[in-house]
Amino acid sequence: MKIIMLGAPGAGKGTQAKMIAEKYQIPHISTGDIFRANIKNGTQLGMEAKKYMDQGLLVPDELTVKILLDRVAQEDCKNGYVLDGFPRTIPQAEVLDKALAGLGEAIDYAINVDVPDENIVRRMSGRRACLSCGATYHVEHIPPRQEGICDHCGQALVLRDDDKPETVQNRLKVYHEQTQPLIDFYTAKGVLRTVDGTADMKDVFEEIVSILK
Ligand code: ADP
Ligand code: AMP
């Protein structure tokens, strides 16, 4: 099963993608996590990506597409995957589509997690991320057991640089201009499903599971 998560930054794509990955035993692939791991390790790619990420801009397609195609070609992806944060532009979606078509495959579901802009800034300023294992929390809605510490790996949680309110506004603008058109793209392919992302995370997940059945 090949699934794409669509939605504004902070809509809950990552939260749901992790639950889908666990239930269906497929890899969760987040281009944002891949970039953050590269930044943490000080790679050339990380340094290049950071320039864009810190401003709330998209990393150029040339850099992003290659990383994603290499990742989905790996052995653990042969039974499918859940993509979180990719594609984010029409050219990215077209490249993915073409690569899959070459293998006689296609995306099965594009799940659009719908959350209005008004809720997004609040979500993002409360998000706390573990840069070690990629786990995500929310100070009010989904708190870790011990404040500031990751439940999974015990590392310190951080407010991502790009989750500061001024950057979030930029990311929302970029989302509406460059990523939202993907809703029409996947509707035309007959695979788009929209879920109400403002509901409790367990209810959002239940709705997604009922779609994937
Ligand atoms: P995305 O991957 O779309 O950027 P995340 O999954 O990281 O978004 O979620 C953004 C923030 O909102 C996180 O702090 C997360 O814990 C929180 N969150 C996710 N889903 C919900 C929900 N259904 N209700 C309330 N908060 C949520
Ligand atoms: P995310 O963790 O998905 O919120 O992504 C964080 C940031 O990484 C984004 O704001 C972009 O700067 C960059 N990024 C992640 N995925 C992509 C992508 N598919 N295309 C371009 N930039 C990306």
Side-chain angles (χ1 to χ4, degrees):
M1 193 155 50
K2 298 185 187 63
I3 304 167
I4 285 173
M5 303 304 291
L6 289 179
K13 301 181 296 294
T15 302
Q16 297 299 326
K18 288 182 188 103
M19 294 160 85
I20 294 170
E22 198 181 328
K23 181 171 170 75
Y24 297 96
Q25 292 292 296
I26 50 177
H28 163 218
I29 301 174
S30 153
T31 36
D33 281 353
I34 295 173
F35 289 137
R36 280 184 290 278
N38 275 275
I39 292 173
K40 196 166 169 234
N41 294 329
T43 69
Q44 186 68 38
L45 169 69
M47 286 189 283
E48 188 62 22
K50 188 171 170 24
K51 290 195 269 183
Y52 299 92
M53 291 168 74
D54 282 352
Q55 298 176 67
L57 299 174
L58 295 184
V59 178
D61 288 345
E62 305 82 78
L63 289 179
T64 310
V65 162
K66 186 180 178 319
I67 291 167
L68 191 278
L69 291 183
D70 286 351
R71 179 65 189 88
V72 296
Q74 288 174 20
E75 181 63 18
D76 64 335
C77 290
K78 66 178 192 312
N79 293 327
Y81 40 77
V82 50
L83 300 185
D84 159 19
F86 187 99
R88 261 182 159 102
T89 64
I90 294 280
Q92 289 181 12
E94 285 171 345
V95 171
L96 176 63
D97 209 44
K98 217 164 139 198
L100 288 175
L103 302 168
E105 296 174 2
I107 292 298
D108 299 299
Y109 297 98
I111 307 284
N112 176 32
V113 185
D114 188 28
V115 175
D117 287 7
E118 306 84 83
N119 301 23
I120 293 289
V121 179
R122 222 172 27 242
R123 284 254 181 119
M124 306 286 257
S125 57
R127 171 156 65 184
R128 294 294 178 273
C130 175
L131 297 182
S132 256
C133 75
T136 310
Y137 304 85
H138 190 282
V139 289
E140 281 170 55
H141 309 297
I142 308 165
R145 281 193 292 270
Q146 191 186 340
E147 194 185 322
I149 303 291
C150 179
D151 290 353
H152 301 286
C153 69
Q155 296 294 309
L157 300 176
V158 297
L159 171 67
R160 275 167 45 180
D161 285 341
D162 59 346
D163 281 350
K164 309 225 160 100
E166 56 281 14
T167 315
V168 170
Q169 294 296 352
N170 237 355
R171 294 171 69 196
L172 274 173
K173 187 163 172 273
V174 166
Y175 166 74
H176 289 300
E177 285 170 5
Q178 300 194 52
T179 308
Q180 211 171 11
L182 293 175
I183 292 177
D184 287 345
F185 182 93
Y186 287 108
T187 300
K189 294 195 175 295
V191 295
L192 189 95
R193 302 285 186 278
T194 295
V195 297
D196 175 8
T198 64
D200 184 85
M201 73 177 217
K202 289 196 182 65
D203 296 335
V204 181
F205 186 57
E206 260 178 37
E207 196 179 346
I208 293 175
V209 169
S210 72
I211 289 167
L212 301 181
K213 266 187 186 141

